[in-house]
Amino acid sequence: MNWLPILILALLVFVLAIYALKLRRSLWMLFGSTLLFGLAGYATQGNPGQASAPAGAALAAAPETGELLVEARREFYGGGRAPSRFVVTADAFTRRGQHDQAANFLRNAVAENPGDGEAWVALGNALVEHADGRLTAAALYAFSRAEQVAPNNPAPTYFLGLSYLRAGEPGKTLSLWRELLESAPADAQWRLPLAARLARLEGLLGVSPRGAAEEQE
């Protein structure tokens, strides 16, 4: 590394502090020591040759996450019933990772039809993703409304659990998903996918399945 430009810059900063900022003479030594301390720290810890983190990787992951969210939600709203036009448009934005735009369309969806449970769930998901995985009060309200308008549909509980997982609270996710699986009808199409995701989560967390734990007791 060529230290000459850095030393010149440090000297310029020191001169600027003295003449432009009117630094008191009594503070010259302290300020100079601070500059030298910073340079020493950079010399021992800095690594300017290291490649930067590829921003493209994070941007590429956003559409993939959006696509998975849409597909997972549709598992709970099958039966040949198509979502509303607002939800369809919002899903297009979600697939591209544009969750703020998706949320705007979904607000229109629930305003036009407050009884649209799928729109409320989609809105909750969009708000969580737009907040970088934080389960905001607005998202909680959306999931709550989805459960109120369609109490027999498991989607609000499932995606609330998924949001807790995104927020770093897997214990709440386990509790919600286990209760959901226990109450699931034997012929429900979403039962097997939920069981697989629950088993995968239990494996990642290193906890025993509830059924196995109860048999050992």
Side-chain angles (χ1 to χ4, degrees):
M1 177 190 296
N2 188 355
W3 282 94
L4 183 58
I6 298 176
L7 292 174
I8 293 174
L9 179 62
L11 180 60
L12 288 175
V13 170
F14 188 72
V15 172
L16 180 67
I18 293 175
Y19 292 102
L21 301 180
K22 307 299 183 182
L23 186 69
R24 295 199 307 270
R25 182 181 293 272
S26 60
L27 297 177
W28 287 8
M29 183 174 294
L30 176 62
F31 186 71
S33 300
T34 303
L35 282 176
L36 290 176
F37 181 78
L39 290 174
Y42 184 75
T44 56
Q45 300 294 331
N47 190 5
Q50 184 176 359
S52 61
L59 293 176
E64 181 180 354
T65 302
E67 180 67 31
L68 293 174
L69 276 175
V70 173
E71 291 180 357
R73 194 197 72 237
R74 289 304 299 161
E75 290 177 5
F76 297 94
Y77 294 95
R81 188 182 69 85
S84 72
R85 68 186 188 282
F86 287 118
V87 174
V88 170
T89 305
D91 284 348
F93 284 105
T94 298
R95 289 185 174 97
R96 294 198 294 265
Q98 297 175 311
H99 302 290
D100 54 338
Q101 297 292 334
N104 289 334
F105 276 93
L106 292 165
R107 290 187 183 96
N108 291 331
V110 297
E112 181 182 76
N113 181 11
D116 188 344
E118 184 173 6
W120 281 112
V121 168
L123 177 58
N125 289 338
L127 292 171
V128 169
E129 293 303 316
H130 181 53
D132 296 324
R134 296 190 303 275
L135 187 56
T136 62
L140 277 171
Y141 176 76
F143 290 130
S144 174
R145 291 285 291 141
E147 188 173 11
Q148 290 175 14
V149 301
N152 295 324
N153 193 297
T157 302
Y158 172 78
F159 285 103
L160 177 60
L162 186 63
S163 299
Y164 277 123
L165 185 62
R166 292 271 282 116
E169 299 184 71
K172 292 183 178 180
T173 306
L174 278 178
S175 178
L176 287 171
W177 284 6
R178 282 171 170 172
E179 291 177 6
L180 191 59
L181 187 61
E182 288 175 359
S183 62
D187 58 347
Q189 295 182 351
W190 49 268
R191 182 184 178 91
L192 287 179
L194 174 61
R197 290 163 188 163
L198 177 59
R200 190 156 53 245
L201 177 60
E202 290 171 335
L204 289 172
L205 296 178
V207 299
S208 301
R210 176 178 291 183
E214 291 175 350
E215 289 177 3
Q216 291 177 358
E217 292 177 359

